[in-house]
């Protein structure tokens, strides 16, 4: 493969990666109106990583503290997350996913899974598995992008 072919291959890849925004927007449309994307991410992070301070949420979301604070406030207002005293520093708060938050997360997971199943119904199981593996590999190739934003 010559250098021109290689450049063209990466140009095509760049176009396809840019188009992932449309996929993300399509997935976001499946979220209930009361749980926008930022709130859904907060719930997923707490479910996956456990209780944490808001600074850690900001770091994992790769956003400024003011942005994560708005998302956290939204989840707290709806009773999905509670702020508990930090045992290590009583002046700080730890974010904890409530049973209501777990229930909302189950709704989100079901909606996203159902949407993907409908959208990819014509895909073979092997193709879905291949896409999953390749997307994970792509993310790994970029490393932990969050570390550069924290």
């Amino acid at each position: 493969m010559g250098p021109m072919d290689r450049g063209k291959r990466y140009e095509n890849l760049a176009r396809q990666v840019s188009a992932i925004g449309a996929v993300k927007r399509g997935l976001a449309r499946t979220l209930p109106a009361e749980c926008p994307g930022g709130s859904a991410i907060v719930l997923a992070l707490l479910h996956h990583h456990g209780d944490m301070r808001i600074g850690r949420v900001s770091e994992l979301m790769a956003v400024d503290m003011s942005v994560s604070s708005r998302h956290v406030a939204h989840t707290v207002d709806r009773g999905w997350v509670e702020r508990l005293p930090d045992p290590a520093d009583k002046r700080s708060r730890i974010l904890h996913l409530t049973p209501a938050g777990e229930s909302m997360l189950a709704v989100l997971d079901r909606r996203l899974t159902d949407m993907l199943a409908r959208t990819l119904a014509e895909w073979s199981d092997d193709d879905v598995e291949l896409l999953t593996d390749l997307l994970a590999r792509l993310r790994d190739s970029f490393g932990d992008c969050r570390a550069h934003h924290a």
Side-chain angles (χ1 to χ4, degrees), residues 8-66:
K8 188 71 166 167
R9 175 175 53 178
Y10 290 113
E11 284 176 23
N12 290 335
L13 176 60
R15 274 193 290 282
Q16 294 306 315
V17 168
S18 295
I20 288 176
V23 173
K24 288 175 68 174
R25 286 187 298 278
L27 290 171
R29 284 191 290 273
T30 69
L31 299 175
E34 70 270 17
C35 190
S39 297
I41 292 170
V42 170
L43 298 178
L45 289 174
L46 289 171
H47 177 77
H48 182 73
H49 296 282
D51 297 356
M52 67 182 78
R53 289 182 180 182
I54 194 162
R56 180 71 176 140
V57 171
S58 296
E59 180 183 319
L60 291 170
M61 290 180 76
V63 297
D64 186 73
M65 186 84 82
S66 64

Side-chain angles (χ1 to χ4, degrees), residues 9 24 30 36 38 45 72-73 87 96 98-99 108 125 132 136-137:
R9 175 175 53 178
K24 288 175 68 174
T30 69
L45 289 174
V72 166
H96 175 77
T98 66
L108 299 175
D125 290 346
T132 302
R137 185 174 167 195

Side-chain angles (χ1 to χ4, degrees), residues 109-129:
D109 286 345
R110 190 170 48 255
R111 284 179 176 223
L112 291 173
T113 301
D114 289 350
M115 195 252 203
L116 286 169
R118 280 191 315 275
T119 304
L120 304 180
E122 301 297 317
W123 289 42
S124 71
D125 290 346
D126 288 343
D127 282 349
V128 173
E129 188 172 334

